[in-house]
Amino acid sequence: DVVMTQTPVSLSVSLGGQVSISCRSSQSLVHNNGNTYLSWYLQKPGQSPQLLIYKVSNRFSGISDRFSGSGSGTDFTLKISRVEPDDLGVYYCGQGTQYRTFGGGTKLELK
Amino acid sequence: EVQLVETGGGLVQPGRSLKLSCVASGFTFNNYWMSWTRQAPGKGLEWVASITNSGGSTYYPDSVKGRFTISRDNAQNTLYLQMNSLRSEDTATYYCTRDYPGITPFDYWGQGVMVTVSS
């Protein structure tokens, strides 16, 4: 099974600041077809998760360019710039290369 | 607009069964894989099951394999999750999710339905 490890578990940020969240997989997420199925999701308080980023660095429809994803192989990063109040919640990375698994989540809070 | 609406949750005793449904709208249902994902109270996300667009293949993690069955009715735009031999650790909010083939799993999520397994 592919194990996804996210760090940090929680993060405090000032409005307007920038943060990075790391996600590491226990094995390479490069699929046989050459694609890397690493996604990022945000779950705002009391809501269902929503897709932010897919295939490492592609923003989903309607997602602000303040969100950016990068990485390859087993190491991936989500960066959020100019943090706004609506960005607060729990961020999850997830892989779809070998079945599906999620990271444990990173809670983003206001400093 | 893509909509996924889950129903069928509730309180059930350990060892009993429950069947969840998810009605999809706003997209061509039989073009997409579908999945169920769950979240125990105060915990993270756990993938539970996936099914191909035709329904010909299904996939499960070890934690539910042999107890849960995912199925779909493409004529009714409906996804199902039959849960048997339920355990207390199956207590969670269950989300119906859409997979975009070749692009990403879980691009759209339903609002979720709560399942509580308790005597």
Side-chain angles (χ1 to χ4, degrees):
Chain A
D1 291 2
V2 179
V3 177
M4 306 295 289
T5 303
Q6 270 183 252
T7 54
V9 172
S10 63
L11 208 45
S12 294
V13 64
S14 300
L15 293 178
Q18 177 174 298
V19 296
S20 292
I21 300 171
S22 174
C23 177
R24 181 165 291 177
S25 58
S26 61
Q27 54 190 272
S28 173
L29 297 186
V30 180
H31 193 274
N32 289 341
N33 64 14
N35 289 317
T36 301
Y37 295 109
L38 186 284
S39 302
W40 290 95
Y41 306 85
L42 166 60
Q43 187 173 30
K44 299 177 185 178
Q47 296 187 19
S48 303
Q50 63 179 104
L51 176 64
L52 300 175
I53 300 283
Y54 64 93
K55 287 203 292 185
V56 181
S57 59
N58 296 274
R59 279 185 296 276
F60 191 52
S61 174
I63 300 302
S64 168
D65 60 5
R66 298 182 299 101
F67 293 88
S68 63
S70 63
S72 63
T74 61
D75 287 290
F76 305 92
T77 301
L78 175 71
K79 288 185 180 176
I80 312 166
S81 60
R82 305 185 306 279
V83 169
E84 301 178 356
D86 198 44
D87 299 338
L88 304 182
V90 182
Y91 288 81
Y92 295 94
C93 61
Q95 67 84 20
T97 294
Q98 186 182 110
Y99 301 112
R100 284 103 171 83
T101 46
F102 293 95
T106 296
K107 187 172 186 178
L108 184 63
E109 301 173 303
L110 271 183
K111 192 176 291 183
Chain B
E1 179 194 3
V2 172
Q3 286 199 328
L4 302 169
V5 180
E6 304 96 334
T7 57
L11 174 64
V12 60
Q13 293 179 329
R16 304 299 292 266
S17 299
L18 198 65
K19 188 172 186 176
L20 305 182
S21 300
C22 168
V23 174
S25 61
F27 63 101
T28 304
F29 186 66
N30 60 14
N31 282 352
Y32 292 84
W33 288 35
M34 298 293 294
S35 297
W36 290 94
T37 298
R38 69 184 179 184
Q39 185 172 37
K43 301 297 184 182
L45 302 171
E46 180 187 17
W47 166 66
V48 171
S50 293
I51 186 168
T52 56
N53 54 316
S54 66
S57 294
T58 56
Y59 306 91
Y60 307 91
D62 288 344
S63 57
V64 306
K65 196 176 294 182
R67 300 189 300 121
F68 288 13
T69 302
I70 188 172
S71 62
R72 63 192 296 161
D73 182 341
N74 283 345
Q76 298 294 323
N77 287 356
T78 303
L79 177 73
Y80 302 101
L81 184 68
Q82 176 68 47
M83 302 183 293
N84 298 333
S85 303
L86 282 162
R87 306 166 180 168
S88 58
E89 55 263 37
D90 296 318
T91 294
T93 296
Y94 285 74
Y95 295 101
C96 169
T97 58
R98 191 184 83 165
D99 284 15
Y100 197 149
I103 303 296
T104 183
F106 320 132
D107 62 344
Y108 286 95
W109 298 64
Q111 85 286 353
V113 63
M114 185 68 198
V115 172
T116 302
V117 184
S118 174
S119 55

